[in-house]
Amino acid sequence: MMPQIGVWRSQLPLRGLPEAAEETGDGGDGNLTDGGDGLVPVPLQADAGGGDAGGRARRARRGGRESADACLARLNTVRQRVGSPPVGSLVVAGGRKPLAVAARNHAAYRARTDAANLRDPSAHHETRGRPGFTGVLPWDRTRWAGLPAGAWLAQAEDVITGEDVSASALAGVRAWTDAPYHRFPLLDPNMTRAGCAAASWPAPGGHRRSAEVLDMVWPRKPQVARIVAYPANGQVRVPTSFDRRTEQPSPFPRATTPRVGYVVTLQASGWQAMKVSQLTLHRHGGRPVPAYPAARYGPSGWVDHNLPGNTAMLAAKAPLAPRTNYRVTVRGHVRAAPTAPWRPFNRSWSFTTA
């Protein structure tokens, strides 16, 4: 069974982002200084701390500790490619680490629940009364783990699950980076706090179920406005394809095959909305590559309501050629608030496949 990737983007608590603070530097917060949110960053490390959901979660912690280190380190390697500042763990009053605790608890719950062949509405939900339950939705669990109310502007969670694969072999950051809906929060320069954990649980018949969880928050502080593209300009050894079946929801519903070209994404981080009028992919010096463009705001045939309003993406209709240079061209407009004027932009960059 191939790993399944599920994302939850918290929109319910939001009452609209503040107008973006335009900045042309490195995005700020590169040294993880306190941004006035009351959250104290700490060096990247395996996150421990209170808030366990019983003995089963404690058992899962032993296997997830090393994974937490690797998860955040790999995440920062990806963010460095696009110029986003590093994320860090965080501590709150009493030394609690709510994102790490919430991620560890939900990874343990998810692995155990899947091993028992029990169902939830999604990989991000928990059912009250089951072993390891700490909250129905991601923000319920982070609040239970000690995240102060009102300390964050937005929240997101990425989850990957797998059968007959160890927790460490899930390679969550790589999987989430490859999956376009999950990629957006990972690369956002305004997301600067995260907690990650993985867990595994034996299932009947000698099988095993595993899960990895990444909980992220956007601190309540001025938002940096920056357009972020992936793969990054000049990036090499880019994968040639993406299997749409591995992500839920599955992107590019108009595609006629499960596998498409590796997905190119663009996000106007810190902006309220982005509308795209041109999004093309060319072989270097060649003709346009047939592709599926998608945007929340764009030509009618492109509209994807699963996309955040400040994002767009494109996938070639067939896997990309190996060891080949490709160029992406984008034209469109961004705005900082619903009543703000649209501002034109254009971007062109290239990458090379593996």
Side-chain angles (χ1 to χ4, degrees):
M1 176 181 176
M2 68 179 65
Q4 289 292 315
I5 312 165
V7 67
W8 181 278
R9 287 182 293 274
S10 165
Q11 297 297 330
L12 294 178
L14 295 184
R15 295 297 181 267
L17 294 174
E19 290 197 13
E22 292 189 62
E23 183 167 320
T24 57
D26 66 358
D29 204 25
N31 58 359
L32 293 178
T33 55
D34 185 2
D37 50 27
L39 306 179
V40 182
V42 299
L44 295 181
Q45 58 185 4
D47 292 299
D52 258 47
R56 298 304 189 183
R58 285 192 290 273
R59 181 187 299 181
R61 183 193 311 167
R62 183 180 302 275
R65 181 177 291 270
E66 188 172 2
S67 176
D69 258 344
C71 175
L72 291 181
R74 289 167 183 159
L75 174 57
N76 281 330
T77 297
V78 175
R79 288 171 64 86
Q80 185 179 32
R81 292 176 190 157
V82 298
S84 290
V87 299
S89 182
L90 61 91
V91 294
V92 296
R96 294 173 68 86
K97 300 177 181 178
L99 297 181
V101 169
R104 187 178 64 241
N105 289 343
H106 187 55
Y109 170 91
R110 186 77 274 140
R112 184 178 186 180
T113 300
D114 290 351
N117 201 30
L118 299 174
R119 295 290 181 261
D120 288 303
S122 80
H124 304 275
H125 286 73
E126 293 186 5
T127 298
R128 192 178 306 274
R130 289 180 180 170
F133 172 85
T134 55
V136 175
L137 297 173
W139 53 85
D140 298 325
R141 298 188 289 271
T142 54
R143 183 173 61 246
W144 184 93
L147 184 67
W152 51 274
L153 183 67
Q155 185 170 349
E157 180 181 83
D158 279 2
V159 175
I160 182 171
T161 62
E163 182 176 3
D164 292 334
V165 60
S166 68
S168 60
L170 284 173
V173 171
R174 183 179 64 188
W176 296 321
T177 303
D178 290 344
Y181 294 133
H182 295 67
R183 182 188 299 169
F184 295 119
L186 300 187
L187 303 184
D188 192 331
N190 296 299
M191 189 281 290
T192 56
R193 308 289 189 268
C196 187
S200 189
W201 195 263
H207 296 285
R208 178 167 294 275
R209 297 303 296 263
S210 298
E212 187 171 354
V213 177
L214 179 67
D215 281 317
M216 301 161 276
V217 294
W218 284 247
R220 194 172 290 280
K221 56 190 290 187
Q223 299 291 290
V224 173
R226 179 187 297 156
I227 295 177
V228 178
Y230 197 87
N233 185 38
Q235 187 171 333
V236 297
R237 296 189 292 277
V238 173
T240 59
S241 66
F242 174 68
D243 190 332
R244 300 183 304 110
R245 297 170 296 180
T246 62
E247 185 170 30
Q248 295 298 325
S250 182
F252 306 105
R254 293 184 294 127
T256 58
T257 58
R259 191 168 291 276
V260 293
Y262 193 73
V263 182
V264 175
T265 57
L266 194 74
Q267 59 195 93
S269 298
W271 297 95
Q272 181 265 337
M274 173 176 68
K275 60 180 181 181
V276 176
S277 56
Q278 178 186 354
L279 181 53
T280 57
L281 180 69
H282 291 74
R283 277 198 181 201
H284 186 69
R287 295 182 177 181
V289 176
Y292 301 107
R296 183 68 174 269
Y297 302 112
S300 59
W302 298 11
V303 174
D304 180 349
H305 293 288
N306 288 318
L307 284 171
N310 60 349
T311 65
M313 62 185 182
L314 173 143
K317 294 184 177 182
L320 303 176
R323 297 179 295 280
T324 301
N325 183 261
Y326 289 88
R327 177 161 291 276
V328 186
T329 301
V330 185
R331 296 183 186 275
H333 293 76
V334 293
R335 68 183 180 192
T339 58
W342 289 99
R343 300 184 181 185
F345 78 92
N346 62 78
R347 290 288 187 277
S348 183
W349 74 98
S350 63
F351 62 88
T352 302
T353 54

